[in-house]
Every structure is written in C-alpha cells, then in structure tokens.
Amino acid sequence: MSFKRRSGIILIAITCLIVIALSIAWGNADILLDKKSTEITTSTIGSTTTTTATTYSYRFVVMGDSRGSTNGVNETQLRNIMGKVKQLSPQPAFILFAGDMVGGGSTVSSQLTYWKDIMDDYYPISSIYPAIGNHEGSEAVFSSAFSHLPNDQVAGYGRTAYHFDYENARFFVLNSNRNHEITSAQRSWLKEMMQDNGKTHNFVMWHEPAYPTGSHVGSSLDVNKYARAAFWDILDNYGGTMGFVGHEHNYTRRHIDSNMNETINGTKFTFERKIYQVTVGSTGAPLLSTYSSTLNVDVPPKAVYHYAVVDVADNLVTVKVYDGKDTLIDSFAPVPAMSNTTTPAPAGFIDIPSDAWYRPYVIELVAKAIISGYPDGTFRPNNPVTRAEFTKMICLAMGWTIENPANPSFSDVSKDSWTFKYIETARAYGITSGYPDGTFRPNIDMTRAEITKFIAEILDLPVGSSTLTDISAHWAQEYINSCVSADVINGYPDGTFRPDSTATRAEATKMITNKNRSSAL
C-alpha cells in the first residue's frame, strides 16, 4: 500500500474518531448551551460583494428568593424550579439570581455552601450570577462564597456589585443592601459602564425593588427616594433594557415611565422611556400577596413560586414567566432598548422643535460628527453634560490627534473606559490636569462656569467684560467675561449668567459651535 493511500486512510479514521467524540460530548456533557447563530454569507454580483451581519440568539433564566428552613433553603421548591429549568429547550446560557438565596444569620456561610451544592446538581456554579440580598448579610461572606464572580469592580464592594458581557448585552448586578439604596459609588460606576459601551442591551439586577408594589413598600429603594430616582435616571438615559429584582415574595411586573417623574430636593427627575421592573420574588421564600402601590403595574402580585425565561434575538427581547407547575403566568416583550452606540442620529430629532433656539447648533455639530443623538430619534437637549461628554466634544471639535497612552493618568479613568482616550487627549493638550487627589471625576455634571474655563483656555481668549449681575467675585468671572465678549455664550434675559447651574446638552452645542466660529479653526 502506498504511503499516500495509508495517509489518506489514517486521516479519515482520525476524522471519524473526532466526529464520534464530539457527538458524545455534545450529547452527554452537563454544560449550558447558548444559541448564538453567526451567519456570514457572501455573494458576488458583478463587482459588488455583500456579507450578512452577525446575528445573536440566546437565552437566560432569572429567579430569586429561595430561602427556607432546610439549612436556610426551601430545597423542595428550589429543586422543583431547577428541574423545570433543566428541561428547557434550548437550555439557558446562564442563570441570574436576584438575592435572598438563604435565610441568613450566624450560619449564613454554611447555608450558602448548601445552596451552591443544590444548584451545582443542575448547572456549574460558574454559570450562576447572584445578587446579594438582605438575608445574605455580610458582603465579605457573600464575596467569599462566590469566588467566580468579578471582584471589586466598584471599589470596596467585593463581589457584590459587578458586570459581565455576553454576546450583544451587558449584565449589571448591584448591591441594594447599604441603607436601602443603589449608592452614589455604584451609580457613578453604572453610568460609566453603561454609556457608549456598544451593547444593544443592558440588563440590570438588584434585590430590593426601586418601585415596590406591596409587602415591601417603604422598606426598599423607596426609603431614599432621591437615590432611587438618580439610579433610575441612569437606566432611562443610558440604555437600560429592563431591571430584575426580588424581595417581595411574589411575581410582579411594573413599568416606569413619565408617570413616575418627581422633583426631590429641588432636582427634577424626568423619565422619557418605558422600562420594566420585573419582580422575580420567590423560588421558595414565603409567598406574599400584599398589593398597595398600583400605578403602572402591568401584572399585580402573584403569590406563586416561579421563574422567568428571557430570549434575546438581536434587538428583540421576549420574556415568559412560569410557575412551579410550568403554567405560563406572564409573557411580554419590552420596549426595544436604546442601543448604546455613538452612531449619529438623523438631524431631524423628534424632541427638537423646528423653532428651538439650539436646533441650528445641533444640526451643524451632528453633520460634523462632533455630537450624536440617540437611536430612538431623540437628542435630549435638556439632559446635563458630564465632564467626560464635554471633553469628548472638545477633542472632536478641535480635531486633535486622539491619544491612547499605555497607562491611565487618572485613578478613576481606566484604560477600558470609553472616556479614556478623550480625557488623555485633553490632558496631553494641556486643557485639564484633573483634581489634586489624582482623579478626573468623569461623571460629574459640568456647570456653565466650568465650560467657560475650558473654552477660554483652549482659544486663549482675551480678557473681556460684561454687565452680568451674578458673577462678581465668582472664581470664573474672568472666563465668563471672556466668553461673553467673544459671543461664545450669553447670559439670560434677566441679566444673570447662573454660573453654577448645570450645563445642558443644548447649551453645550451652542458653546461648541460658537467656539468654532470665534476661532480660526
């Protein structure tokens, strides 16, 4: 037999063995399979080649609150639910668990070990992503129990506040245990990780509802209404797809929209989108049917053990919720998420009237790709501008070469942040040196005074004067006068400038546009 023929036979044999091995592995391995489908089909007509885009299709399951009397767990109900999940086809890629896995107390560590052993009978614990509930108690114990979770993404929170990416989505898990709120540290991190992250969906999970409906009204995030509204404002502005919570020991679905607008401590919170808060509140915890807060409630509390199945197909999300007997108790599709990309929206924004004073500035800067709107057709002119956002606008308006150094210059701007290269560019051009403590504070809203300092220094504007009545002895008086004299910015009809007021996106467009017109750029 020739060497060539022998080689061919050997190659065929090896191929057959590989196919058999893979068949066995796919049939028997206890792993979670997603249904991502990537099709790249190329066709050539004449000299034109077309390629279809990558598509995503996958599933995950959400549940919560399994505490009970067997080593802190309601093992009977949890195993019943997990058995139902194990029968799903297709299988979930992972499971989100909205806290209160166990009863807590002095033996919480061993209880969590017991809970993990139960879950591990169905899926690897590395595919379970839990939130800390009020019954888990110690953040240190929780962090130790779930060593597979990302650690200290929010400084000082261990593994109780983290995010992970899967296909076209980013998943956030937050800690609601500190004084019944999503704290300012978590909010700042969430805002940074959510904005401009290039993901189609942002799913967020925490334990205590922002807007409870019954048994925990007054003992959830509604304890601190300002922090609650500030948190939800981030979901509304930066592309939250939906939120998952537990705590209420029932299933409830509620949507948050402009009906929930409120003014707290002088701050007006205006929600522009419809976002669902889905309460997956019992896979074993004592069932409760209390119902006292009814505004915008789509599904009133159902006192049944349950779990939610979430299917994602590109930008389409569908949710089906089943009880412990596999009876469908809810089915819905959220309003399409606001994709978190920087793709410029059309010039004709649906929230900018044709006679708006800022419309010409918006259109000009969009055309130059200096600013962009949102994929839902809005520009949101009255939203505040953060230090990071304005820095990006300045860098693009000036046409500077974008810097990307190996190491960050500021302790709170990591290299993987979307803000990194723009902030480093501004620093390289001598426009900002940050704060004395080594931070840049990218998510702080900019004031009108701070923006005049940016622009006056960039353009090296000469000293000017004005008749403004409220800037005398203000630290930015010189910068304000320079910008007003150069017609970069104006005061208000009542003769004030309001230097410490937050600058809006609309105001920023005028300042950037007039900056260009007042310089030789």
Side-chain angles (χ1 to χ4, degrees), residues 22-34:
L22 288 176
S23 298
I24 293 172
W26 289 337
N28 297 330
D30 187 18
I31 60 174
L32 302 181
L33 299 177
D34 69 277

Side-chain angles (χ1 to χ4, degrees), residues 30-33 59-63 82 85-86 91-97 115-116 119-130 146 148-149 162 164 166 205:
D30 187 18
I31 60 174
L32 302 181
L33 299 177
R59 164 176 286 181
F60 61 94
V61 165
V62 193
M63 60 182 75
M82 291 306 296
V85 173
K86 193 67 178 178
Q91 279 283 279
F94 50 86
I95 294 174
L96 301 181
F97 205 97
W115 184 88
K116 289 192 299 179
M119 299 297 282
D120 192 56
D121 285 344
Y122 301 90
Y123 300 112
I125 199 66
S126 59
S127 61
I128 313 294
Y129 293 89
F146 298 103
H148 68 283
L149 301 178
Y162 59 93
F164 65 94
Y166 188 83
M205 180 178 69

Side-chain angles (χ1 to χ4, degrees), residues 101-336:
M101 288 79 75
V102 298
S106 60
T107 62
V108 64
S109 180
S110 62
Q111 290 175 26
L112 288 173
T113 297
Y114 190 78
W115 184 88
K116 289 192 299 179
D117 287 343
I118 294 172
M119 299 297 282
D120 192 56
D121 285 344
Y122 301 90
Y123 300 112
I125 199 66
S126 59
S127 61
I128 313 294
Y129 293 89
I132 187 170
N134 54 294
H135 279 268
E136 275 73 62
S138 169
E139 293 178 4
V141 171
F142 180 93
S143 296
S144 176
F146 298 103
S147 59
H148 68 283
L149 301 178
N151 188 39
D152 224 27
Q153 290 188 351
V154 181
Y157 281 73
R159 295 185 171 91
T160 68
Y162 59 93
H163 85 270
F164 65 94
D165 291 341
Y166 188 83
E167 305 297 12
N168 65 343
R170 178 160 288 181
F171 294 81
F172 296 90
V173 181
L174 305 175
N175 180 341
S176 59
N177 275 8
R178 297 191 182 185
N179 299 316
H180 302 284
E181 67 178 77
I182 304 302
T183 57
S184 59
Q186 292 183 87
R187 296 198 304 269
S188 294
W189 169 80
L190 178 67
K191 183 176 179 179
E192 181 179 354
M193 292 294 101
M194 188 174 285
Q195 64 185 352
D196 287 332
N197 63 22
K199 296 296 184 181
T200 302
H201 302 290
N202 289 288
F203 296 99
V204 187
M205 180 178 69
W206 64 102
H207 182 62
E208 296 185 2
Y211 296 88
T213 60
S215 58
H216 288 84
V217 170
S219 61
S220 298
L221 299 194
D222 54 344
V223 169
N224 187 332
K225 293 186 177 180
Y226 181 90
R228 173 183 72 176
F231 163 54
W232 205 270
D233 194 55
I234 295 172
L235 303 188
D236 186 72
N237 282 327
Y238 296 99
T241 302
M242 73 175 78
F244 298 104
V245 299
H247 199 48
E248 294 239 84
H249 298 196
N250 55 45
Y251 174 74
T252 312
R253 173 162 59 91
R254 187 176 203 172
H255 69 272
I256 315 305
D257 61 9
S258 58
N259 287 332
M260 305 296 199
N261 290 351
E262 53 188 334
T263 299
I264 307 172
N265 300 334
T267 300
K268 184 176 182 180
F269 292 96
T270 303
F271 304 134
E272 299 180 0
R273 299 172 54 234
K274 177 181 178 181
I275 303 176
Y276 286 114
Q277 175 187 269
V278 182
T279 302
V280 283
S282 187
T283 54
L287 297 171
L288 299 173
S289 58
T290 307
Y291 184 31
S292 60
S293 180
T294 62
L295 180 63
N296 283 13
V297 173
D298 304 286
V299 178
K302 291 180 178 291
V304 293
Y305 303 122
H306 59 277
Y307 64 100
V309 179
V310 184
D311 288 301
V312 181
D314 291 330
N315 67 335
L316 178 65
V317 177
T318 56
V319 183
K320 294 183 184 296
V321 184
Y322 299 91
D323 68 10
K325 297 179 180 179
D326 257 357
T327 301
L328 182 68
I329 61 174
D330 191 20
S331 178
F332 66 99
V335 175

